[in-house]
Amino acid sequence: MSDEQLLRRWRLVLGRYARQSLDTNGLSTHEQQLEQSLDYLYGRAYDGKGMTPHRQRGANLDPSQVQAIDWLQRVRKLFPHDVYERIQQHAVENYQMAELLQDPVALRSLEPNHALARTLLGMRGRLGAEMRDAVQDVIRAVVEEITRRLRQDFVNALVGRRNRFRRSHMPSAQNFDWRATIQANLRHYDRNSQRLVIEQPRFNARIQRKLPWDVVLCVDQSGSMLDSVMYSAVVAGILSSLPAVQVRLVVFDTNVVDLSHMAADPVQVLLTVQLGGGTDIGRAMEYCESLVRTPQRTVVALISDFDEGALPGPLLRSVRRLAESRVKLLGLAALDEDAHPAYDRKMAQRLAGAGMEVAALTPTHFAEWLAEVMG
């Protein structure tokens, strides 16, 4: 990269405040558009600190001259898709571009992704009634994408275990039988390229589960659990669609709310939960205890950061009673948005000592864990 190219790149990074310091012989038309689009957003960092100098004359993207929706459309055209998504996330989360969240048209123009859904759920109570349908559309798009990624993992894990003696015509990566595939395609070996040409991939069938299981998802809806609440709602929706699985969905903070009647609709669950408040895990587990009908075929999964706000005695006693009755107890520790464990390890150890299996897992690994417990 030449010195001139490096200077021009630094000009774009530093924005209009570097115009006099960095002599770049002027920016091209495209580079000026990049600078103006970035300045519309990141110049707010200076505005918020009272550091905004007098705006220079000439073409600019001052808020009085451009609407947020116009800015979004321009950014979408100027930048690669992944960069556009990052800029959009910064606009909503870091720079409080309220105009994006007060105009249904602007909101629907945003890229529906996990970060946007988190933001909308976090500030749902502060949005006007006219935004309700737009918010629901965004949440639905994100839920459908998460469901698409996770559903097959749960279906493969929970509908039945692989039967290596039966073939299936339904292709599935998890059911792929590589030994049988090699054996069936040896005659297609290409000696010149020294490669095996696969014309007939082989897949195993699965043994269907016959006896029903009750799965109680006990989900912490305190403010720190937003990501876990989103995934738990999706998991409840997937489990509700599977045969031989009866799902109960319970959410809690200091109060306990049974949302089992809407477990099959994760969008409605997310629009119903009240994020925030304290945490009384013991009260929630005592309620889940009252739901158990067939202990030996019941799984109670506690999804929480285990940061108990009440005295721990009721929680630990409830876990011990459930364990003694042979209920399968799973403690799914909270993960942050980067999939790093974020939970009270001391309480997790106490729960494990009372009879609960505790792990910090992604939703995909939770499917495998659940299948192993129910197998």
Side-chain angles (χ1 to χ4, degrees):
M1 181 180 297
S2 67
D3 291 343
E4 177 67 20
Q5 290 175 316
L6 187 60
L7 282 175
R8 294 164 81 87
R9 177 163 293 191
W10 273 110
R11 266 285 285 110
L12 291 175
V13 170
L14 297 175
R16 55 188 154 94
Y17 304 101
R19 284 172 182 163
Q20 296 179 351
S21 301
L22 293 179
D23 181 11
T24 60
N25 297 321
L27 297 176
S28 68
T29 301
H30 178 69
E31 288 169 335
Q32 289 178 30
Q33 292 175 339
L34 292 175
E35 180 198 26
Q36 291 163 3
S37 296
L38 293 172
D39 181 64
Y40 179 75
L41 175 63
Y42 296 108
R44 294 166 186 252
Y46 294 93
D47 296 343
K49 298 177 181 178
M51 299 171 59
T52 305
H54 178 69
R55 299 256 181 178
Q56 298 191 19
R57 295 179 180 178
N60 58 54
L61 285 174
D62 286 349
S64 61
Q65 298 184 24
V66 65
Q67 298 295 321
I69 184 67
D70 300 322
W71 171 77
L72 273 175
Q73 291 173 349
R74 184 174 299 186
V75 169
R76 184 184 283 113
K77 293 178 181 178
L78 287 173
F79 295 93
H81 184 73
D82 58 336
V83 177
Y84 165 72
E85 284 192 330
R86 180 65 62 87
I87 292 174
Q88 171 189 298
Q89 180 179 346
H90 288 174
V92 175
E93 291 190 339
N94 299 350
Y95 295 96
Q96 291 78 48
M97 286 183 64
E99 55 266 51
L100 294 177
L101 302 178
Q102 294 174 352
D103 179 358
V105 176
L107 180 56
R108 285 192 171 97
S109 72
L110 294 175
E111 188 74 21
N113 56 39
H114 189 92
L116 178 59
R118 290 179 73 256
T119 300
L120 291 175
L121 290 172
M123 63 183 302
R124 187 183 60 214
R126 292 171 291 179
L127 298 175
E130 70 280 2
M131 298 295 294
R132 181 180 56 195
D133 291 342
V135 169
Q136 183 166 308
D137 290 344
V138 172
I139 300 300
R140 177 172 290 105
V142 174
V143 164
E144 288 175 353
E145 170 59 21
I146 297 174
T147 301
R148 184 190 63 77
R149 289 191 284 109
L150 295 182
R151 179 175 174 76
Q152 199 58 47
D153 294 316
F154 277 87
V155 170
N156 290 342
L158 296 174
V159 170
R161 66 180 186 275
R162 284 208 299 174
N163 182 353
R164 300 185 184 279
F165 301 101
R166 290 184 57 194
R167 299 287 171 227
S168 171
H169 297 292
M170 297 296 294
S172 169
Q174 291 194 350
N175 297 341
F176 180 64
D177 189 338
W178 62 270
R179 290 187 180 88
T181 297
I182 292 175
Q183 184 177 4
N185 291 273
L186 282 175
R187 64 180 179 276
H188 303 305
Y189 181 75
D190 187 339
R191 296 183 180 276
N192 293 328
S193 64
Q194 296 186 341
R195 292 181 179 179
L196 182 65
V197 179
I198 304 298
E199 292 189 359
Q200 293 181 322
R202 296 297 180 90
F203 301 91
N204 294 131
R206 286 184 175 264
I207 300 174
Q208 296 294 317
R209 300 181 187 275
K210 300 299 183 183
L211 297 177
W213 277 83
D214 294 330
V215 176
V216 181
L217 297 177
C218 186
V219 185
D220 187 340
Q221 66 169 352
S222 58
S224 61
M225 292 293 298
L226 180 52
D227 288 294
S228 294
V229 170
M230 287 183 63
Y231 280 105
S232 297
V234 172
V235 168
I238 294 172
L239 291 177
S240 297
S241 69
L242 300 181
V245 178
Q246 299 294 324
V247 180
R248 301 297 298 266
L249 177 62
V250 176
V251 299
F252 69 92
D253 40 36
T254 52
N255 295 310
V256 180
V257 181
D258 193 328
L259 298 180
S260 300
H261 61 286
M262 59 176 65
D265 189 345
V267 176
Q268 289 305 311
V269 169
L270 292 175
L271 293 175
T272 300
V273 294
Q274 301 296 321
L275 296 163
T279 310
D280 190 342
I281 309 175
R283 185 177 182 182
M285 288 298 292
E286 287 175 345
Y287 177 79
C288 292
E289 191 177 353
S290 71
L291 301 177
V292 176
R293 297 292 179 266
T294 54
Q296 295 184 22
R297 301 198 66 78
T298 299
V299 177
V300 175
L302 172 63
I303 297 94
S304 175
D305 57 10
F306 309 133
D307 188 9
E308 176 64 297
L311 294 174
L315 168 60
L316 296 174
R317 287 193 292 271
S318 178
V319 170
R320 289 192 186 97
R321 288 193 298 268
L322 287 166
E324 289 170 357
S325 67
R326 300 183 68 181
V327 169
K328 306 289 187 181
L329 288 166
L330 308 181
L332 189 62
L335 300 175
D336 64 18
E337 56 186 300
D338 297 318
H340 297 143
Y343 62 96
D344 186 329
R345 286 168 170 76
K346 290 185 178 179
M347 178 55 72
Q349 291 174 352
R350 297 184 71 178
L351 290 171
M356 177 180 287
E357 296 183 56
V358 178
L361 302 172
T362 63
T364 296
H365 289 111
F366 175 56
E368 298 171 354
W369 191 26
L370 195 58
E372 182 180 340
V373 169
M374 292 166 59

